[in-house]
Amino acid sequence: MSKIALGTAQFGMAYGATNNFPPPSLDDVGEILEFAIDNNIRHLDTAASYGDSEEILGKIGVSNFVVTTKLPHIGNSPIVAKNWVELQIEGSLKRLRLDTISTVLFHNCDDLLGRNGDLLWSELSAIKAAGTISKIGVSVYDEVELAKVLQLYKIDVVQVPCNILDNRFRRSDLLGTLTNRNIEIQVRSIFLQGVLIAEPRTRPQYFHQFHEYLEPWDTWIAQNKLDARSACFTSVDQLGCADFALIGVGSKSHLSELLVARQTTVNLDKDFSCPELRLIDPRFWKL
């Protein structure tokens, strides 16, 4: 069973296709983190681009957590200023009020695969060698991106999307490659930003066009009187190789409910795989 890592995007910005609540207050975030520690959740996932997330975490104090953060997207500039990576890491350390960070990911895979990739990798590797960070990795959206990265760089960690509908990585041989290379696997989007666990009528209008994929899932959950959250967790566990399942929450009660759902294993006897990228890849959403 994969460990839980707490995603923090919701702490610093409005995040999630079905989330209509404002970011939690500083006190609420403190309660969430305290509850996480009490329930043996030690890993946090954040990013420089998650609004005020890093700063909020720093104010509360996260020295007793293992923190993953991500470099911001540099865009298409043909020239990257020397020490750009160092400046970004220094900024994250300052906001998080930490001396070291466990893991730094390239948030946008294009940065690593673009013309500046070797320079960025070299600078980040030097920071790792100095002991400021322990692991380097990348967040990817599809198996094509990951395959290219694996050909070029010896990463320590990868974040991949995988859920009931999105089985692209499950069907590829890349998960086996990651395991053979002892690369840590963090699985994100297990609830598809809440779409998979929302009441059908509460989903944004955009998702109504994908009735043929969502209706069988909704019907199966209802007919079998299942908790959709438990089924989503089970789907990740069935990968057999995920080190962490990332979940985002906006309150202590939300986290508590998810941890209860985590305890139930569901018999997933149906395949809900969906090939429609406009549904399974949030980059294509038009909300």
Side-chain angles (χ1 to χ4, degrees):
M1 181 179 286
S2 54
K3 297 179 181 178
I4 294 294
L6 192 60
T8 66
Q10 287 175 253
F11 296 173
M13 58 190 286
Y15 181 83
T18 62
N19 177 29
N20 297 315
F21 297 97
S25 68
L26 193 65
D27 287 343
D28 288 340
V29 174
E31 281 191 355
I32 293 170
L33 295 185
E34 183 177 353
F35 187 73
I37 286 290
D38 290 343
N39 286 273
N40 298 315
I41 297 174
R42 294 289 188 273
H43 288 75
L44 298 178
D45 175 80
T46 190
S49 61
Y50 287 168
D52 298 327
S53 175
E54 287 186 331
E55 188 173 0
I56 289 169
L57 293 174
K59 287 180 179 178
I60 294 171
V62 291
S63 59
N64 51 350
F65 284 92
V66 178
V67 178
T68 293
T69 194
K70 309 179 193 73
L71 295 171
H73 181 30
I74 62 173
N76 297 315
S77 173
I79 300 175
V80 176
K82 184 174 176 59
N83 298 329
W84 179 85
V85 173
E86 183 179 0
L87 291 173
Q88 300 307 316
I89 300 300
E90 287 178 354
S92 287
L93 286 169
K94 183 178 180 179
R95 290 187 292 272
L96 289 164
R97 303 185 187 184
L98 295 173
D99 296 322
T100 61
I101 299 175
S102 172
T103 302
V104 173
L105 305 180
F106 286 88
H107 206 163
N108 192 305
C109 198
D110 289 343
D111 293 337
L112 190 54
L113 296 176
R115 70 180 77 189
N116 300 302
D118 288 347
L119 172 63
L120 297 173
W121 179 264
S122 177
E123 290 194 0
L124 194 54
S125 296
I127 295 172
K128 176 185 175 183
T132 304
I133 61 176
S134 300
K135 300 176 183 179
I136 299 174
V138 62
S139 176
V140 300
Y141 273 96
D142 59 50
E143 65 272 42
V144 175
E145 287 181 339
L146 180 55
K148 291 179 180 178
V149 169
L150 292 176
Q151 288 178 343
L152 297 172
Y153 302 104
K154 293 183 179 180
I155 59 174
D156 305 306
V157 181
V158 64
Q159 264 190 24
V160 300
C162 190
N163 53 59
I164 293 291
L165 298 179
D166 185 358
N167 281 315
R168 289 172 294 171
F169 286 94
R170 191 190 305 271
R171 293 194 301 268
S172 77
D173 59 0
L174 289 174
L175 293 179
T177 300
L178 295 175
T179 300
N180 291 336
R181 296 187 186 181
N182 294 316
I183 296 172
E184 182 179 299
I185 302 172
Q186 301 179 0
V187 178
R188 70 173 193 275
S189 201
I190 68 173
F191 303 131
L192 197 58
Q193 291 194 26
V195 172
L196 292 171
I197 60 177
E199 289 291 330
R201 57 183 175 77
T202 67
R203 293 186 183 118
Q205 179 72 29
Y206 173 79
F207 296 102
H208 294 180
Q209 63 185 302
F210 304 113
H211 178 79
E212 65 178 296
Y213 300 112
L214 291 171
E215 192 275 335
W217 162 249
D218 295 331
T219 299
W220 183 76
I221 288 293
Q223 289 181 343
N224 291 281
K225 297 181 173 59
L226 300 172
D227 187 327
R229 297 167 297 188
S230 297
C232 289
F233 278 124
T234 299
S235 178
V236 174
D237 291 336
Q238 285 186 343
L239 290 174
C241 60
D243 295 290
F244 293 95
L246 272 59
I247 60 171
V249 300
S251 66
K252 173 184 173 181
S253 61
H254 185 194
L255 177 55
S256 178
E257 291 170 2
L258 287 176
L259 293 183
V260 171
R262 181 79 173 99
Q263 301 307 309
T264 300
T265 299
V266 172
N267 179 23
L268 281 173
D269 56 359
K270 291 192 67 175
D271 181 7
F272 297 98
S273 298
C274 168
E276 178 56 77
L277 291 178
R278 291 181 304 133
L279 173 56
I280 63 176
D281 189 337
R283 293 178 299 177
F284 294 97
W285 292 355
K286 296 179 179 180
L287 303 180

